[in-house]
Structures are given as structure tokens and as C-alpha cells.
Amino acid sequence: MKIDDWLLEILACPNCKSPLRAEPEVDELSCTSTSCGLVYPVRDDIPVLLVDEARKS
């Protein structure tokens, strides 16, 4: 997974607006909020930030 650091700094969870953390070994972005905890897929180096596409961690 290739996401630039500057992009990761501005990305936020669409559900709760918390910052996202990269999980490069599984090509996912995880919400850092303990109450939300959604995990978003990254497909072809493009984050899919749709709540309907996310899964609970």
C-alpha cells in the first residue's frame, strides 16, 4: 500500500471524523477512535472511505 504521509495526515474517518492509521500489511486504514473502530479497505492504493464498505475491527 502506497499512501503519502501528507495524505494520511488529512484523511479522517467519515463516520466519526477521527484520524486514520495505516495498516500496510493488510492494505487497510483503521479509525483511531475506540468507540468507532471502523476499518476501511485500500484498493489499488486508493482508500475506499465509504462507511458501507468498512468493517468493524
Side-chain angles (χ1 to χ4, degrees), residues 11-42:
L11 289 178
C13 175
N15 189 52
C16 70
K17 311 300 184 239
S18 295
L20 295 172
R21 177 181 59 245
E23 305 289 348
E25 61 278 350
V26 289
D27 289 338
E28 293 178 332
L29 296 174
S30 299
C31 178
T32 57
S33 169
T34 55
S35 61
C36 177
L38 290 177
V39 179
Y40 299 91
V42 177

